[in-house]
């Protein structure tokens, strides 16, 4: 077993901000369109190179993001930043193209029950729908990202076999996605499990095409990121303030907080290009709009310092 000093850290990491989508989709408080736009504009000034701004899903399923088109059309587009949005089907893609997002993010689960609860289809019935979306998005000149949820466990079925993860991941890569984000949807993974799963996946998939998406429900997200980096992963999804959770995964809570991840990477000397104070300011902004303390540790350290 390797000691911490013998682990391999990358020189740089890409942090993908998913707060405006994953963060807000599960919030009871409706953040106004104007505030969402102001917040995303603020995030664009933090040095983040990829921001998932909203979802073009059925607004009856996700009312918090009913204003997807207004948000996508209202934000300032900073050259060099990829503005991405979740797209579940052709109707979603048409809306996303009309709002001119840069990237379509398609998503499905490695477990049948979560896939059904989340997108109302079996895994088998989801493939042809996403294949069409990916092809059309690519022909429209957009990049396409894929998500596999419940990689490390399902809220309905429990353990998920790595073979199922491979099957769904291969299908998504065959469709033409450029990057695959592996989701610990309910924040159940532990570092040993992450090593075991990545050990298998990295025999089939290029580490440079994989991202890890950890929710921090049980406090293991940073430890999971650490072992993922050691295994060659250099892209991680996170959410300002630690906002987030899947409404169709009972008990799911926020993504790892962007500023907690940034603190760890910065102090380890790993480059991200993200500015910590600007990120904290964006976290304070959304905390204020949500109206309660968010899970982010660094955000709370900042506020208790200020309060003495
Ligand atoms: P459905 O009900 O099966 O859809 O939902 P349908 O095709 O049968 O159509 C039914 C109605 O939905 C119709 O309207 C359609 O027009 C409408 P009606 O005639 O009843 O008025 N509809 C749409 N409206 C707007 N935009 C659309 C759209 N599609 C259909 N794109 C559907 C299927 C996939 C749409 C639905 O299940 C849905 O919206 N699900 C989204 C759930 C969701 O957003 N979950 C959270 C995101 S995933 C996540 O958080 C995990 C992740 O973070 C990674 C991780 O953590 O693991 C990514
Ligand atoms: Mg998520």
């Amino acid at each position: 077993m390797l000691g911490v000093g013998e682990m391999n850290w990358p020189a740089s990491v890409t942090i993908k901000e998913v707060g405006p989508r994953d963060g807000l989709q599960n919030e009871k408080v409706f953040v106004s369109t104007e505030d969402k736009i102001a917040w995303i504009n603020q995030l664009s000034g933090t040095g983040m190179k990829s921001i998932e701004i909203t979802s073009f899903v059925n607004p009856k399923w996700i009312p918090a993001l009913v204003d997807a088109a207004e948000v996508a059309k209202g934000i300032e587009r900073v050259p060099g930043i990829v503005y991405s949005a979740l797209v579940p089907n052709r109707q979603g893609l048409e809306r996303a193209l009309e709002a001119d997002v840069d990237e379509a993010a398609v998503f499905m689960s490695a477990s049948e029950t979560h896939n059904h609860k989340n997108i109302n289809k079996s895994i088998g019935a989801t493939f042809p729908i996403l294949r069409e979306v990916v092809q059309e998005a690519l022909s429209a000149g957009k990049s396409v990202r894929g998500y596999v949820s419940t990689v490390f466990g399902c809220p309905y079925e429990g353990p998920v076999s790595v073979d199922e993860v491979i099957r769904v991941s291969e299908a998504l890569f065959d469709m033409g996605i450029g990057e695959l984000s592996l989701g610990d949807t309910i924040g159940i993974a532990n570092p040993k499990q992450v090593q075991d799963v990545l050990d298998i996946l990295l025999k089939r998939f290029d580490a440079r095409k994989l991202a890890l998406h950890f929710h921090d429900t049980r406090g293991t997200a940073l430890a999971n990121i650490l072992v993922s980096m050691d295994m060659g992963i250099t892209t991680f999804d996170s959410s300002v303030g630690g906002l987030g959770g899947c409404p169709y995964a009972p008990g799911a809570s926020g993504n790892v907080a962007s500023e907690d991840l940034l603190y760890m990477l910065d102090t380890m000397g790993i480059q991200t290009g993200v500015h910590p104070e600007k990120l904290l300011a964006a976290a304070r902004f959304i905390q204020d709009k949500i109206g309660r303390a968010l899970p982010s540790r660094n955000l709370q350290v900042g506020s208790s310092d200020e309060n003495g």
Side-chain angles (χ1 to χ4, degrees):
M1 203 171 70
L2 288 177
V4 168
E6 297 160 78
M7 291 177 92
N8 297 305
W9 314 128
S12 64
V13 151
T14 302
I15 305 181
K16 298 203 163 180
E17 175 60 45
V18 296
R21 191 282 300 175
D22 206 339
L24 294 186
Q25 72 183 11
N26 205 24
E27 269 306 322
K28 307 273 174 298
V29 177
F30 184 81
V31 175
S32 73
T33 308
E34 197 187 8
D35 287 341
K36 283 176 182 139
I37 292 171
W39 182 41
I40 295 167
N41 288 342
Q42 201 177 358
L43 288 167
S44 291
T46 59
M48 288 278 183
K49 288 285 171 270
S50 171
I51 307 176
E52 200 169 74
I53 55 172
T54 190
S55 271
F56 291 94
V57 297
N58 184 344
K60 285 188 191 140
W61 286 57
I62 307 285
L65 303 180
V66 63
D67 52 3
E70 290 92 320
V71 168
K73 289 178 187 175
I75 56 169
E76 286 159 31
R77 306 292 180 100
V78 174
I81 300 182
V82 174
Y83 295 96
S84 186
L86 227 56
V87 170
N89 55 17
R90 203 166 174 186
Q91 193 176 338
L93 182 66
E94 277 163 20
R95 294 172 57 212
L97 293 179
E98 209 269 318
D100 199 25
V101 298
D102 300 320
E103 179 176 80
V106 297
F107 58 105
M108 60 186 298
S109 310
S111 56
E112 205 53 76
T113 318
H114 184 262
N115 201 72
H116 216 281
K117 299 258 185 199
N118 199 36
I119 49 177
N120 210 20
K121 306 260 169 330
S122 66
I123 289 177
T126 305
F127 289 140
I129 296 172
L130 295 192
R131 181 172 297 280
E132 197 181 17
V133 169
V134 174
Q135 280 163 4
E136 286 190 18
L138 291 173
S139 353
K142 306 297 177 185
S143 60
V144 183
R145 184 170 210 240
Y147 278 105
V148 184
S149 288
T150 64
V151 168
F152 300 95
C154 170
Y156 306 103
E157 295 178 18
V160 171
S161 96
V162 187
D163 289 344
E164 273 306 288
V165 176
I166 291 172
R167 186 171 78 94
V168 171
S169 304
E170 274 179 346
L172 286 166
F173 275 122
D174 283 350
M175 292 174 199
I177 61 162
E179 178 179 86
L180 181 69
S181 181
L182 302 167
D184 182 16
T185 316
I186 52 169
I188 201 168
N190 67 72
K192 169 79 169 69
Q193 183 189 14
V194 172
Q195 278 179 324
D196 292 346
V197 170
L198 281 180
D199 201 36
I200 299 169
L201 295 184
L202 288 171
K203 292 193 171 75
R204 290 174 183 261
F205 307 113
D206 183 344
R208 289 167 301 182
K209 291 196 168 184
L210 295 181
L212 270 289
H213 177 107
F214 291 111
H215 284 261
D216 200 25
T217 320
R218 293 166 180 81
T220 51
L222 285 180
N224 292 335
I225 289 175
L226 208 61
V227 296
S228 306
M229 286 197 299
D230 179 51
M231 298 191 75
I233 304 294
T234 53
T235 302
F236 298 96
D237 300 345
S238 63
S239 173
V240 155
L243 274 170
C246 177
Y248 299 98
S253 70
N255 297 86
V256 63
S258 305
E259 55 277 23
D260 291 349
L261 174 57
L262 183 64
Y263 175 83
M264 182 177 86
L265 297 175
D266 269 354
T267 52
M268 290 172 75
I270 298 171
Q271 303 298 314
T272 62
V274 182
H275 193 287
E277 278 311 316
K278 290 183 178 168
L279 197 62
L280 275 171
R284 273 187 219 108
F285 177 90
I286 198 65
Q287 175 167 259
D288 194 42
K289 300 301 168 194
I290 301 282
R292 63 175 162 79
L294 296 181
S296 153
R297 308 294 168 87
N298 280 269
L299 186 56
Q300 303 321 327
V301 170
S303 357
S304 57
D305 284 354
E306 274 160 28
N307 299 336

